[in-house]
Amino acid sequence: MKTLFLNPNSNDAITKTLRRQIAAQGLPPASFEVRQLAGAPKIIGSLQDNMKAQRIFKKNYKQLTQGFTRLVMMSSLDTGFDAARDVGVIEVYGFTRSVLAWHRSQAQQLQAITFDSSMTPLYQALFAIKENQGVVLHISTLPLAPGEVESAWDAVLNSLRKVCRELTDTSSAPIFIVGAVGLELGEALRQEGFHQVIDPVANLIAHLQSTASSIKAQSVSHPLKSGSK
């Protein structure tokens, strides 16, 4: 099995972070690639950006997925997930869906932190779909667009520290900083001792490995009969 972790934006820095954090999970180097979507917005910070990235993805789906048996859409909104699932050629997973599925399997609920109140309804819609219901306890939102995070790193980190302290004071539930722009911020907070802040990439990989093991076990228990389709 070879997995394509596709960043559905064209941001070099985010793709580099994804590549580094995925590689740190110990996957065999030949078993995966991390790519970004050429021509897509640098940051998916609105419904319009999300729709544009989806159109570009659908147009280039066949070329992008050639040679892969599994596709993971590495976007906080799982951009392109439904389009890829509709094609049905290879296994498809969403980044956020997988993080939530992992914590659901561990009987854990999450406290979510998002960026930009205008994006919050999009996250709420994703959290509310059937397979995700009940995993996210509540959402705290920082009033800063994802595209502004890099230029205001110190201020954002300070704001996240404050929010995380407030959340940890009131609940022991893990904290999920949603979005690719939050990956390095979350990493910095964990290094500072905010252990309730999850590593979503590690959760994603754990879910993929668990799912692969389950599929393998089912195929051994119920092998296809000769001549079946």
Side-chain angles (χ1 to χ4, degrees):
M1 176 176 284
K2 188 170 184 179
T3 303
L4 171 61
F5 294 95
L6 181 63
N7 176 16
N9 65 48
S10 58
N11 190 301
D12 293 335
I14 290 176
T15 304
K16 184 178 179 179
T17 297
L18 289 171
R19 187 173 289 117
R20 175 176 58 79
Q21 293 195 0
I22 291 169
Q25 304 306 313
L27 300 176
S31 71
F32 73 94
E33 289 186 31
V34 180
R35 297 179 181 175
Q36 64 189 43
L37 187 59
K42 286 189 175 297
I43 292 287
I44 297 176
S46 68
L47 177 61
Q48 290 72 27
D49 290 340
N50 195 54
M51 292 174 66
K52 180 179 180 180
Q54 288 188 85
R55 289 195 297 269
I56 294 171
F57 168 71
K58 289 174 69 174
K59 182 179 180 180
N60 295 280
Y61 173 84
K62 186 174 181 180
Q63 177 183 354
L64 286 166
T65 59
Q66 187 172 5
F68 294 95
T69 53
R70 184 166 62 182
L71 171 65
V72 184
M73 304 306 300
M74 297 300 295
S75 161
S76 58
L77 292 173
D78 295 346
T79 303
F81 175 86
D82 291 326
R85 179 66 66 87
D86 289 343
V87 175
V89 177
I90 63 176
E91 290 182 40
V92 183
Y93 295 84
F95 185 15
T96 297
R97 280 175 171 83
S98 295
V99 173
L100 300 187
W102 174 249
H103 285 274
R104 184 176 61 248
S105 74
Q106 304 301 301
Q108 291 180 331
Q109 291 182 298
L110 294 169
Q111 306 179 85
I113 300 176
T114 65
F115 300 94
D116 191 352
S117 58
S118 69
M119 292 284 287
T120 299
L122 302 180
Y123 294 123
Q124 289 174 323
L126 179 57
F127 297 158
I129 63 176
K130 185 176 180 180
E131 62 264 35
N132 296 338
Q133 287 179 2
V135 180
V136 176
L137 280 168
H138 57 78
I139 302 173
S140 301
T141 301
L142 293 183
L144 189 68
E148 300 172 7
V149 170
E150 186 176 354
S151 61
W153 177 271
D154 291 337
V156 175
L157 193 56
N158 283 332
S159 295
L160 280 172
R161 286 192 191 100
K162 181 180 179 181
V163 174
C164 287
R165 288 192 187 101
E166 293 172 350
L167 294 178
T168 55
D169 284 345
T170 58
S171 174
S172 60
I175 298 168
F176 179 20
I177 300 174
V178 182
V181 295
L183 290 176
E184 287 193 281
L185 291 161
E187 188 174 45
L189 290 172
R190 288 190 297 275
Q191 291 173 355
E192 292 180 9
F194 287 86
H195 301 303
Q196 278 180 241
V197 175
I198 67 169
D199 179 347
V201 173
N203 295 163
L204 163 69
I205 301 303
H207 174 66
L208 294 178
Q209 292 174 332
S210 175
T211 301
S213 296
S214 177
I215 292 173
K216 183 177 180 180
Q218 290 176 16
S219 67
V220 171
S221 299
H222 306 285
L224 292 173
K225 295 180 180 180
S226 176
S228 62
K229 295 182 180 180

